[in-house]
Amino acid sequence: MYRLLRAPFQPVTYSRWLHLCVPLLVVAIWLFVVPEWPWGPMFLVLPFGLVPWVRLAEGLQAQFLLTPYDRGSAEGAISLAPSAHWGDRWRTVLWLETRMVMAIGAVAATVWMPALTVDLIASALGRSLDPGPLAPLIPERRWVAALLAPVPLVVLVVVVVLLGELITAIATRLLGPSAAERLSALETRTEQLLERTRIARELHDSIGHALTVAVVQAGAARAAGDAAFTDRALCAIEETGRAALEDLERVLGVLRESGQPPSQRPTLAEADRLLESARASGSEVDAQLTGPLEKLPGPVTREGYRILQESLTNVLRHCGPVPVRVRVEMAADRLELEVTNTLPGRPGVTTGGGSGLRGMRERAALLGGEAETGPYEGGWRVRARLPLERIR
């Protein structure tokens, strides 16, 4: 009740009323051209609703006028994307038909309620009224007409508020994100959270460790007063600082990519730059990429790129410039990605078992796939299978 009383003072009530009235512009133009067939617009919207970009246009208009609090948000209750499949197209057709029907009710109330108020005021002032469709609603007594004069305007406000709430609920149902769009948004958000967690961990581990070592070594050198010890401490500080700078540059690279919009994030179509980067680091990379990778669905190609990136980074970080074999194949129903490398026989080499490998498995699981990591024929292998049918 309190919400209903507050609604007349909120701008969104009148933007929703405008949204309700817009379809009658099409009807008015149609009646001017073909007045003998007033129901023509109801059939006219059918082919337009099947056009994919109509859903985008309707989503933009609905978000701008019905849910302005979500304006500009890619994760709002109303989707801002063209129809991806026939289910979206038929929902758009149903939305257009529903919008036309509700527009008739909204415009009828907008025209007849103020007209009824004018007639009631005229009757209260004792003026004679021309016979019309509203004449039966006008009471004969002037004082009754005076009391009833504000009622149609109140009814108009109530109708506008209720129709606005109803059309907004229908819009979120018919123009809301599809299952594939929700999955893509969830994938994007999860990717951001994973990257932020990884950045925080790496900054804490690498930069924090480097600063701690530098402070301890500098303090010990100053307290020792020994030239040879000071020289060794300075060498340790220099080596630690160089390693920290490399880690910082790598983290800043992740930050720069995290600032890109999802549509501009790297995909497997750009995998060559990852392979060239690994070759420039001294690794011998044997790569075989098959299939039209540029046609992969957005979530699959972005997660595949990240898995390949993390795999090559782990090779360089833990094994150094060793031979690497990369296989990426787009099959009919899945994407196969495999990265194998040899393990150098020197002490201190680890294959890793932290959040990098866990992150790859989580990325694959988000898309309904799987990622395997572990020893393979005397080396190390990362193998991921990402389904395509669930994403299309």
Side-chain angles (χ1 to χ4, degrees):
M1 186 65 180
Y2 176 70
R3 182 179 179 182
L4 184 63
L5 294 175
R6 245 179 51 183
F9 305 100
Q10 295 181 339
V12 69
T13 298
Y14 303 99
S15 67
R16 289 174 177 176
W17 169 79
L18 178 61
H19 184 274
L20 286 164
C21 295
V22 165
L24 263 294
L25 296 175
V26 178
V27 176
I29 296 173
W30 177 267
L31 292 177
F32 182 77
V33 178
V34 192
E36 63 276 8
W37 195 31
W39 299 105
M42 299 296 293
F43 300 95
L44 185 65
V45 299
L46 177 60
F48 282 98
L50 299 178
V51 178
W53 288 100
V54 171
R55 183 176 180 82
L56 172 61
E58 289 294 318
L60 288 170
Q61 185 183 152
Q63 189 182 90
F64 187 80
L65 295 175
L66 299 181
T67 58
Y69 40 81
D70 283 343
R71 193 175 301 166
S73 172
E75 302 177 0
I78 296 176
S79 174
L80 299 180
S83 301
H85 39 70
W86 282 102
D88 289 341
R89 296 177 185 178
W90 287 116
R91 286 200 300 162
T92 305
V93 170
L94 181 58
W95 160 255
L96 292 174
E97 297 287 356
T98 303
R99 190 178 175 190
M100 293 289 274
V101 172
M102 295 189 66
I104 295 173
V107 172
T110 302
V111 171
W112 292 112
M113 290 298 102
L116 181 57
T117 294
V118 171
D119 287 349
L120 288 170
I121 293 174
S123 177
L125 295 176
R127 298 181 180 178
S128 59
L129 300 174
D130 295 331
L134 300 179
L137 302 177
I138 308 301
E140 296 180 358
R141 297 185 180 183
R142 294 169 59 182
W143 66 271
V144 176
L147 288 177
L148 294 178
V151 174
L153 296 181
V154 174
V155 172
L156 173 61
V157 172
V158 172
V159 169
V160 168
V161 171
L162 294 180
L163 287 181
E165 294 285 344
L166 180 59
I167 194 67
T168 302
I170 295 174
T172 57
R173 182 76 175 178
L174 297 179
L175 297 180
S178 63
E181 291 169 340
R182 290 192 184 96
L183 177 61
S184 180
L186 178 62
E187 172 265 335
T188 300
R189 182 180 298 178
T190 304
E191 179 181 336
Q192 292 173 346
L193 291 176
L194 286 172
E195 288 182 351
R196 290 176 183 176
T197 302
R198 183 173 61 185
I199 289 168
R201 184 184 65 250
E202 291 187 357
L203 284 175
H204 177 271
D205 293 346
S206 62
I207 308 302
H209 172 74
L211 291 176
T212 300
V213 169
V215 170
V216 171
Q217 291 283 359
R222 184 177 61 180
D226 183 358
F229 183 86
T230 300
D231 185 63
R232 290 196 301 272
L234 289 175
C235 288
I237 292 173
E238 181 182 8
E239 292 176 1
T240 305
R242 289 183 187 278
L245 285 175
E246 293 176 0
D247 288 340
L248 180 60
E249 183 63 29
R250 180 165 49 84
V251 171
L252 289 177
V254 174
L255 278 173
R256 293 188 190 102
E257 290 185 0
S258 298
Q260 295 178 352
S263 60
Q264 297 179 4
R265 289 183 178 175
T267 65
L268 276 177
E270 307 168 61
D272 286 343
R273 71 179 186 180
L274 287 179
L275 304 176
E276 290 303 322
S277 176
R279 293 187 180 104
S281 301
S283 291
E284 181 182 341
V285 180
D286 174 18
Q288 181 178 343
L289 285 70
T290 58
L293 300 181
E294 68 280 356
K295 295 183 180 180
L296 284 169
V300 173
T301 188
R302 290 194 294 270
E303 293 298 352
Y305 180 93
R306 292 301 188 194
I307 292 173
L308 177 59
Q309 183 184 50
E310 184 66 27
S311 302
L312 294 175
T313 300
N314 282 341
V315 172
L316 296 174
R317 181 187 303 169
H318 298 295
C319 302
V322 297
V324 182
R325 187 181 68 175
V326 176
R327 296 290 183 269
V328 180
E329 180 181 0
M330 179 181 173
D333 59 345
R334 68 186 184 278
L335 174 72
E336 296 272 359
L337 190 151
E338 182 177 299
V339 179
T340 58
N341 63 276
T342 60
L343 294 176
R346 64 174 188 268
V349 173
T350 61
T351 56
S355 60
L357 302 182
R358 184 174 63 251
M360 286 189 281
R361 290 191 288 268
E362 290 172 350
R363 291 179 189 277
L366 278 174
L367 301 177
E370 59 181 357
E372 303 170 356
T373 60
Y376 178 74
E377 296 183 355
W380 187 265
R381 180 177 72 169
V382 174
R383 186 177 183 182
R385 301 180 186 89
L386 305 180
L388 302 181
E389 291 300 325
R390 300 183 187 181
I391 311 298
R392 294 188 189 277

